[in-house]
Amino acid sequence: MVRLLAVDPQSPQPEAIRQAAALIRRGELVAFPTETVYGLGADALNPQAVARIFEVKGRPAHDPLIVHLATPDDLPRITSVVSPLARRLAETFWPGPLTLVLRKQPQVPDSVTAGLDTVAVRVPDHPVALALIRESNVPVAAPSANLFGRSSPTTARHVQEDLGDRLALILDAGPTMIGVESTVLDVTSSPPAILRPGGVTRESLEQVAGRVLLRNQELQVETPLPSPGLMAKHYAPRAELVLVLGDNDAYALEKMQELARRYLDVGIQPGLLLVDEEVLYFSGLDVQVFQLGRGKDLEQIARKLYAGLRALDDLGVKVILARCFEKRGLGLAINDRLRRAASRLVE
Ligand code: TXA
Ligand code: MG
């Protein structure tokens, strides 16, 4: 089993960081915390090490990786053109949960960028991540440290569950602060486009960049309880996730109650992702519940989302019922992850 090394999240022990950095420099893989989720790190300029990331995660080669830097000053090591807008965004949001897609330097291996002429870059806002990258003295390629298709890890234990037998080391600094991944913003096009909503909201990007497009993948909508498996799943629990669309609280509540009863009628105990205010409406039903916190507290909901999906999985439920949240702020990222994790969408 992999070695779990506990580190102080605020001021990580230098010896732990030295050990981890030595592994990275030797071309090995180290899982480490960022402010969003745990990452699976390798030397971004070492093609063999990068190949190991894809192997260990079971990730398809056409899905490019994010390269992590300790400081924007290192941008010239991996990117060629950095526009004034990109620079302004970096100054405003780094270190932080914003990934910028920029033109790449030829020395960045094709495996990192899946053959694209762009590279995704960010400076994470976590003392452990920053110390590790600085000490490694190389750009660190890191996807989320989960098996491909599963929910991203927000604790070291999640990483251990998914990848425990395939890693050199996991740096354990406790649960991550934000809980959903970084916002991926393509700044090679104008206006810039959000490719994946995440920890930095569209609203705050627009304050710096003006208009920002949201490149939304079309997702199929289905009627209640039809045949499953029509959508490519990602960020997903093992259980089948049934997602109630829309952000109407009263409607979502009614629909979830109805669905819960229908599952119970056919002998299936559902797991429910609920906000605190909703719990009492299910008190009479034999369901498993994970509480995400107060309905208005999108920060906390984001922080608990993946842990909630994994916790319900651990309880062994076959079906999880969840609903969408407000389409503002972090709600965009939360809804995006729920949609991708869902087997069925219910209107
Ligand atoms: O918060 C995060 O971003 C976490 C932590 C570990 O930093 N990382 C993460 O990595 O979520 P990953 O590999 O799970 O997601 C990377 C995303 C994918 O959606 C990928 O398609 C996109 O970034 N991406 C990477 N390079 C790209 C490029 N050159 N052009 C467009 N999208 C790119
Ligand atoms: Mg991922």
Side-chain angles (χ1 to χ4, degrees), residues 113-164:
T113 62
L116 298 170
D117 58 0
T118 53
V119 60
V121 195
R122 80 182 193 100
V123 176
D125 187 14
H126 195 296
V128 176
L130 291 173
L132 174 65
I133 302 163
R134 213 176 290 121
E135 182 74 21
S136 305
N137 199 25
V138 290
V140 173
S144 49
N146 52 284
L147 283 174
F148 180 73
R150 290 216 67 203
S151 309
S152 296
T154 54
T155 67
R157 193 174 64 84
H158 295 162
V159 180
Q160 201 172 26
E161 280 166 11
D162 273 20
L163 307 174

Side-chain angles (χ1 to χ4, degrees), residues 37 57 59 63 143-153 181 196 234-235 306:
V37 300
K57 280 198 62 151
R59 179 175 173 121
D63 197 359
S144 49
N146 52 284
L147 283 174
F148 180 73
R150 290 216 67 203
S151 309
S152 296
E181 300 85 344
R196 176 180 74 180
H234 206 68
Y235 305 105
Y306 289 138

Side-chain angles (χ1 to χ4, degrees), residues 2 16 21 48 53 68 80 96 129 162 165 168 176 188 199 205 221 233-234 236 248 284 286 309 319 330:
V2 63
Q48 280 91 39
I53 291 182
H68 297 69
S80 51
D162 273 20
D165 49 350
T176 58
T188 65
L205 288 173
V221 176
K233 284 219 278 177
H234 206 68
N248 180 326
D286 178 28
L309 292 172
V319 174
L330 276 182

Side-chain angles (χ1 to χ4, degrees), residues 256-289:
M256 284 168 88
Q257 283 175 317
E258 179 191 320
L259 286 166
R261 284 206 188 89
R262 285 172 66 172
Y263 278 108
L264 287 167
D265 281 349
V266 293
I268 298 172
Q269 185 194 39
L272 272 61
L273 270 187
L274 296 178
V275 298
D276 298 349
E277 299 89 320
E278 291 167 343
V279 175
L280 74 111
Y281 295 96
F282 295 86
S283 54
L285 297 177
D286 178 28
V287 293
Q288 298 283 358
V289 170

Side-chain angles (χ1 to χ4, degrees), residues 201-215:
T201 64
R202 182 186 192 175
E203 293 87 333
S204 49
L205 288 173
E206 286 187 324
Q207 281 176 10
V208 176
R211 200 157 87 93
V212 170
L213 305 179
L214 183 61
R215 214 159 285 160

